[in-house]
Amino acid sequence: MYITYETAQYAKIDNRRIRRFKRHYRPPETVPNDLPKPEFMPTKLIRISDMEIVYGSQVNEGYCALSYSWNQSGDMVLDEAKGKYMRIDEGRHEIISYCSIFPDMIIPYYIAAKNFKRKLWKIYKVLEVMDEKNYYFQKTVKQVKFESILQHICQQFNIKYIWFDQMCINQDDKEEKKREIRNMHHIYENAYCTIALTPEFSGLNVATPSSEDYQYFKRLWTLEEAIKSKKLLFVGKDVHKWGEDISRSDRLYPLIESSSTLSVSQILYHAHNRTSTKDHDRVFALIHLFPEFMQDINIDYDQPLEELMVQFYRLLAKKSISILVFEKLTHHRYESTIQKYSTFLPSWTGVNGTHALIATTTSFQNYDVVGKTMHVTSAYVTKKKQPIFFTFIKNYLPSFYLCGGRLPDDKESLTIQKQDLPPSPDDIYDVDNKHNYQLSVFVQLPGIAERKRFKITPIYTYNDIFINGNGFDLISKQLQQLSRFMEIKKENLGWCHLNRDDGEMAARIDLDHLTENILDDPFAHYVLLSEILFKSNAESRYHYYPVVKKKQGEKYYKVLGRCSIESIDDIFSNCNLPKKTFLIQ
């Protein structure tokens, strides 16, 4: 793939009167002249003045680094003899530059103005219009190789030395490549800034460079490079944007923060949406975000992939159990690239879901990971389990023939009709209260006399249900979901007022974002690990708990992701719940 770079770049204007993007023929912000030399210097650097390789030990000033997608630097051709892709650059990249024809265009307008102030204003307005349409600059197109585009960008931004992997690492020398890969995190975190090359980024979409269609945001190596960099400069076809100009609402914002502030879950959110040419690079690229793992990981492309990936995820899980904070894939617009490894990666890696973008914390530490098995000792909530034979005789056999030769389950016993709803509250006919009552259910948890109340319908109120006849399917579904963990009875349904204490104290549980529909397998054992509480901050009303599942006859549990419970406090904090060790794969 070949790219185009225009020397006239749109960039942000930020002063008292103007805050927008405008085309500049010289960047308004460049790299300072005298960069201090960092303690760490790469083995090799590229001197921009002549594009020659020099040793970093011989350079007495700071440097910058390049982060880009390899397939945008030329044609990627498979070398069948070596079994790897090679870059072929036929010099079809384009540099579009502009030559000024300023004087001849401006003089007629200058003469036409009647006084000095009007002359200046007239010139300014004419320049502004002509600038937008490139009228007073003559365009020249030159075809070059990728290195020439890099040289031109660096010269425009006053960069004297840059680290560029294709020239600074001998790709055919295994030992040199292994040595330099181990230093990648040092290279990027010591660079003054990193150029993030995003050719798809143009003046037509200057609002943000974070489109998921950009190659830069699809590659795994660029994730590590962006996160480890102190300062990012996104350079597109005809626009550039410094990292500090990216808003907090942008999905890319976490990438401009230090890796020390990102949780394991946040890093995996981005990593599992990206690709790498070599499967081993799924570990070698991410390992730089966790330098403490370096001594445990062998940089060797010939080692078994399964062994390498399981070892890496085991180290991640030991570092933080936030690896369990994930949900089903369909909740996000990004495609997962990790699912193809689901044949050998355990469920606790999040291989069947997508991790959370928000940071969460937990104080839980009572777990270990051995091989592919996570050993978790936690309090838990689950429906009391009876042997299959006893359950069949007691519950299913008497009604087997009545149900047409099929086994009934909670889907039938907890299917709600209008006659199953509790009596109307006394003040329900007050106009102000018709929309304030919400259906809830009381449940009895172990070790506590007071029953807990769960809101059932997040949308439908009394008025919607009785007057409009809405919500019965949703009510039934939520009761059936809760019944996988607690004893649920129709007679325990009640109304709670949203603006009173009963409504404020009631909890709302969301089980729809698990990686599997828990109503699909009535014989599986479902468990909510109530002691593993994740929160985004201390004031948040949202509490997240992992949910695990075990099929009949199997030894190991499977993680289905996290459920969320909205409540003022941890609803399980004062319950005397049972505790045991769960073996999870």
Side-chain angles (χ1 to χ4, degrees), residues 6-15 17-29 123-134 136-137 157 201-204 206-207 238-241 245:
E6 293 193 26
T7 59
Q9 292 264 306
Y10 285 96
K12 187 177 181 181
I13 301 173
D14 193 358
N15 58 36
R17 299 181 60 185
I18 305 172
R19 189 179 178 88
R20 61 184 177 84
F21 275 79
K22 186 179 184 298
R23 186 183 286 268
H24 296 265
Y25 297 92
R26 291 180 183 175
E29 181 182 352
I123 291 173
Y124 171 78
K125 295 304 289 182
V126 171
L127 280 174
E128 189 172 45
V129 173
M130 295 167 66
D131 177 38
E132 294 297 327
K133 298 183 179 181
N134 293 326
Y136 67 98
F137 273 73
F157 287 93
F201 187 25
S202 74
L204 298 176
V206 296
D238 59 356
V239 64
H240 64 269
K241 189 173 186 180
D245 292 329

Side-chain angles (χ1 to χ4, degrees), residues 370-580:
V370 181
K372 289 187 177 183
T373 306
M374 179 179 284
H375 300 249
V376 177
T377 302
S378 168
Y380 63 93
V381 176
T382 189
K383 192 171 184 179
K384 188 175 180 181
K385 190 180 171 189
Q386 295 176 327
I388 296 178
F389 179 75
F390 179 79
T391 303
F392 178 79
I393 295 296
K394 180 181 176 183
N395 297 329
Y396 298 140
L397 190 59
S399 55
F400 180 73
Y401 293 103
L402 295 177
C403 292
R406 55 186 173 81
L407 296 178
D409 58 19
D410 288 336
K411 285 187 178 182
E412 295 188 6
S413 61
L414 290 174
T415 298
I416 303 299
Q417 303 296 328
K418 190 171 183 178
Q419 62 269 20
D420 298 318
L421 295 177
S424 303
D426 293 337
D427 61 348
I428 195 64
Y429 298 107
D430 185 334
V431 175
D432 294 333
N433 285 323
K434 279 187 178 181
H435 298 281
N436 290 331
Y437 280 97
Q438 194 166 18
L439 193 65
S440 62
V441 65
F442 287 98
V443 297
Q444 186 68 61
L445 294 175
I448 182 172
E450 182 185 358
R451 296 186 301 173
K452 298 288 185 178
R453 185 198 289 262
F454 284 90
K455 297 175 187 175
I456 296 302
T457 53
I459 301 173
Y460 301 112
T461 59
Y462 177 92
N463 196 54
D464 296 313
I465 297 170
F466 265 104
I467 306 303
N468 301 323
N470 295 326
F472 287 107
D473 290 341
L474 181 60
I475 295 169
S476 301
K477 176 186 174 184
Q478 292 187 347
L479 289 175
Q480 291 159 15
Q481 288 176 332
L482 270 177
S483 72
R484 295 291 187 257
F485 306 94
M486 311 164 190
E487 289 290 340
I488 303 295
K489 298 178 181 180
K490 290 180 181 179
E491 52 266 34
N492 289 335
L493 290 172
W495 297 101
C496 64
H497 197 285
L498 299 180
N499 299 326
R500 298 175 187 166
D501 288 345
D502 58 344
E504 284 293 318
M505 298 302 294
R508 177 183 287 123
I509 187 168
D510 180 1
L511 295 162
D512 286 332
H513 292 152
L514 299 175
T515 58
E516 293 181 12
N517 184 350
I518 61 176
L519 301 180
D520 287 344
D521 188 352
F523 292 108
H525 186 214
Y526 295 94
V527 181
L528 187 153
L529 302 179
S530 56
E531 195 174 340
I532 310 178
L533 166 62
F534 296 98
K535 293 189 73 173
S536 56
N537 58 69
E539 292 75 30
S540 175
R541 289 175 57 100
Y542 289 92
H543 306 74
Y544 304 101
Y545 304 88
V547 172
V548 297
K549 163 192 175 180
K550 185 170 75 170
K551 290 186 175 182
Q552 292 287 353
E554 292 188 353
K555 178 180 179 181
Y556 298 104
Y557 284 86
K558 175 183 180 181
V559 183
L560 302 184
R562 57 87 181 154
C563 72
S564 65
I565 297 181
E566 181 188 1
S567 62
I568 295 177
D569 300 309
D570 177 13
I571 197 169
F572 305 115
S573 59
N574 56 354
C575 299
N576 185 21
L577 296 171
K579 180 182 287 193
K580 77 170 189 177

Side-chain angles (χ1 to χ4, degrees), residues 28-298:
E29 181 182 352
T30 60
V31 172
N33 279 322
D34 300 317
L35 294 181
K37 184 177 180 177
E39 292 185 7
F40 173 89
M41 289 292 283
T43 306
K44 300 174 185 177
L45 288 169
I46 306 302
R47 186 171 55 213
I48 293 302
S49 59
D50 55 8
M51 293 302 285
E52 289 294 323
I53 298 174
V54 296
Y55 287 104
S57 58
Q58 299 174 355
V59 176
N60 294 317
E61 58 184 282
Y63 66 96
C64 296
L66 177 68
S67 178
Y68 68 109
S69 178
W70 263 56
N71 61 358
Q72 292 181 327
S73 61
D75 294 318
M76 303 305 293
V77 179
L78 179 63
D79 185 336
E80 296 184 358
K82 295 182 179 180
K84 62 180 182 179
Y85 283 92
M86 307 292 292
R87 179 178 73 107
I88 306 297
D89 189 346
E90 297 180 350
R92 289 192 276 123
H93 300 280
E94 290 183 348
I95 295 179
I96 300 177
S97 56
Y98 297 86
C99 178
S100 175
I101 53 173
F102 178 88
D104 295 336
M105 298 289 291
I106 292 304
I107 289 174
Y109 291 94
Y110 179 79
I111 294 173
K114 291 183 179 179
N115 57 58
F116 182 70
K117 287 185 177 180
R118 289 196 63 187
K119 287 177 183 178
L120 292 180
W121 179 248
K122 190 86 172 179
I123 291 173
Y124 171 78
K125 295 304 289 182
V126 171
L127 280 174
E128 189 172 45
V129 173
M130 295 167 66
D131 177 38
E132 294 297 327
K133 298 183 179 181
N134 293 326
Y135 282 161
Y136 67 98
F137 273 73
Q138 183 176 348
K139 186 166 73 172
T140 304
V141 180
K142 183 180 178 182
Q143 290 198 330
V144 298
K145 290 195 172 184
F146 183 76
E147 288 76 8
S148 294
I149 282 191
L150 177 59
Q151 183 182 30
H152 203 101
I153 293 172
C154 290
Q155 287 172 339
Q156 277 203 296
F157 287 93
N158 196 37
I159 296 172
K160 300 174 185 176
Y161 294 92
I162 196 164
W163 188 88
F164 167 42
D165 59 350
Q166 292 191 44
M167 292 182 68
C168 294
I169 301 177
N170 183 352
Q171 303 296 324
D172 295 323
D173 187 331
K174 285 188 176 182
E175 290 304 314
E176 179 179 338
K177 191 172 181 180
K178 184 185 299 186
R179 184 176 63 250
E180 293 303 311
I181 284 178
R182 284 194 172 275
N183 284 326
M184 291 284 277
H185 60 290
H186 292 308
I187 292 171
Y188 282 92
E189 66 189 4
N190 282 281
Y192 170 79
C193 76
T194 295
I195 295 176
L197 196 59
T198 51
E200 302 93 338
F201 187 25
S202 74
L204 298 176
N205 54 3
V206 296
T208 176
S210 61
S211 170
E212 63 268 26
D213 295 328
Y214 294 1
Q215 287 295 317
Y216 185 85
F217 305 120
K218 292 181 178 180
R219 305 298 294 171
L220 197 53
W221 277 106
T222 57
L223 173 67
E224 171 262 332
E225 294 160 2
I227 292 177
K228 296 305 289 185
S229 298
K230 290 187 292 188
K231 189 175 181 133
L232 282 171
L233 171 59
F234 290 96
V235 176
K237 175 186 175 183
D238 59 356
V239 64
H240 64 269
K241 189 173 186 180
W242 290 91
E244 53 262 34
D245 292 329
I246 294 177
S247 67
R248 286 182 173 270
S249 61
D250 196 290
R251 285 175 178 268
L252 267 194
Y253 184 78
L255 300 188
I256 63 173
E257 295 185 294
S258 168
S259 59
S260 62
T261 65
L262 295 175
S263 69
V264 167
S265 174
Q266 285 177 297
I267 290 174
L268 291 181
Y269 169 86
H270 292 287
H272 287 179
N273 297 318
R274 297 186 177 219
T275 62
S276 60
T277 304
K278 298 178 180 178
D279 288 330
H280 288 71
D281 282 336
R282 296 207 70 91
V283 173
F284 298 154
L286 290 179
I287 196 71
H288 298 284
L289 300 176
F290 309 96
E292 64 271 27
F293 298 166
M294 278 292 182
Q295 60 184 0
D296 299 309
I297 297 292
N298 180 26

